[in-house]
Amino acid sequence: MTDSDQPQGYRRVLLKISGEGFSSGGATGVNVADVAKLAGQLAEIATSGTQLAVVVGGGNIIRGARFSAGTEMIQEATAHYMGMLGTVINGLALQDALENIGCETRLMTAIRMDGFAEPFIRRRCTRHLEHGRVVILACGTGNPFVTTDTAAALRACEIGADIVLKATRVDGVYSDDPEKNPHAVLYERLSYKEVISDKLAVMDVTAIGLCMENNIPIVVFNYLKEGNIARAVAGERVGTLVGD
């Protein structure tokens, strides 16, 4: 991948934000200040004309895969559904935070919750984006045993996103865990095949495969640094770019 391959701004973006974005520092629940800070960054992007869809995680509420571990009382599939409900809680918080600062939104879920959210329908979602609304996507794919990373890749393919932005609390993809190994190397660029073959902790293999098959690049970056989301959307060099 050469410098000329780096796009200078994206028309339609799929942002994946984990539950950590709603409660920093490893805390549980929803932190109003964290959500307000996130909403401010997203509103800046939306008002610039970029079409923005956001897939939210729910780890700050409950991590389904871990919740059922070591117990026979709650089945793993049930725990995954509980995790999906956690993403809805985060989605509602983000929706109100965005609309509180004048940003029009729609919350769409993979499991029907007609009282307060729209069901995810691809054409309806793209129409919302075309009208400048931030679309918040919750419940993952609606299926247990599927990560929200895979949901982000799948939705990006469905809505024709130009890129997947994975917001993390580290500066990009490293050769090792930078929080444990101070000598870990930060990669500037990687191919999809390198990520898979080297088992790098970017997204799960299914998510990487979907993006590779549909030629959707991925940028992994630190959203905690002020302005990084906007810089990533603008195509500036931030984090690690994964592509062909």
Side-chain angles (χ1 to χ4, degrees):
M1 187 179 296
T2 64
D3 289 344
S4 61
D5 294 322
Q6 176 78 2
Q8 298 303 310
Y10 302 99
R11 178 186 64 89
R12 180 174 292 172
V13 170
L14 190 294
L15 174 69
K16 163 64 196 311
I17 182 78
S18 70
E20 292 175 341
F22 297 84
S23 187
S24 60
T28 57
V30 176
N31 183 293
V32 173
D34 288 332
V35 179
K37 185 176 181 180
L38 175 61
Q41 293 190 66
L42 301 189
E44 179 184 353
I45 295 165
T47 55
S48 73
T50 299
Q51 297 177 16
L52 179 63
V54 185
V55 168
V56 293
N60 59 311
I61 307 295
I62 183 173
R63 293 189 180 277
R66 296 180 186 176
F67 187 74
S68 63
T71 177
E72 296 181 357
M73 184 179 73
I74 297 178
Q75 297 180 31
E76 188 173 358
T78 301
H80 281 283
Y81 283 119
M82 293 168 70
M84 291 179 209
L85 295 178
T87 70
V88 178
I89 293 172
N90 287 338
L92 286 166
L94 182 57
Q95 180 176 46
D96 269 16
L98 283 166
E99 294 194 342
N100 186 57
I101 54 178
C103 191
E104 191 175 0
T105 71
R106 290 294 187 274
L107 174 62
M108 307 188 85
T109 57
I111 298 173
R112 295 188 72 96
M113 298 185 184
D114 295 343
F116 51 83
E118 296 181 12
F120 174 78
I121 299 172
R122 182 181 62 84
R123 289 192 175 189
R124 183 181 293 178
C125 179
T126 55
R127 181 61 62 87
H128 288 321
L129 293 171
E130 289 165 356
H131 281 78
R133 300 169 186 131
V134 176
V135 179
I136 303 165
L137 302 169
C139 289
T141 66
N143 300 291
F145 307 103
V146 180
T147 69
T148 48
D149 280 349
T150 293
L154 176 63
R155 297 299 186 230
C157 295
E158 287 182 293
I159 67 174
D162 299 317
I163 194 163
V164 171
L165 301 181
K166 182 173 181 181
T168 70
R169 62 182 184 183
V170 295
D171 290 333
V173 182
Y174 286 82
S175 58
D176 197 3
D177 187 344
E179 296 182 352
K180 298 178 180 178
N181 180 3
H183 303 293
V185 176
L186 173 64
Y187 296 110
E188 184 176 287
R189 293 169 180 261
L190 288 165
S191 69
Y192 303 111
K193 292 181 179 179
E194 286 174 324
V195 170
I196 294 172
S197 63
D198 295 346
K199 298 180 180 180
L200 298 173
V202 178
M203 303 173 87
D204 63 72
V205 174
T206 303
I208 296 295
L210 279 169
C211 289
M212 180 170 62
E213 290 170 7
N214 292 275
N215 197 30
I216 300 175
I218 305 164
V219 171
V220 183
F221 69 102
N222 186 348
Y223 75 95
L224 294 174
K225 292 186 176 179
E226 190 66 34
N228 258 8
I229 298 179
R231 283 191 283 271
V233 169
E236 296 181 20
R237 290 192 178 279
V238 56
T240 304
L241 176 64
V242 180
D244 286 328

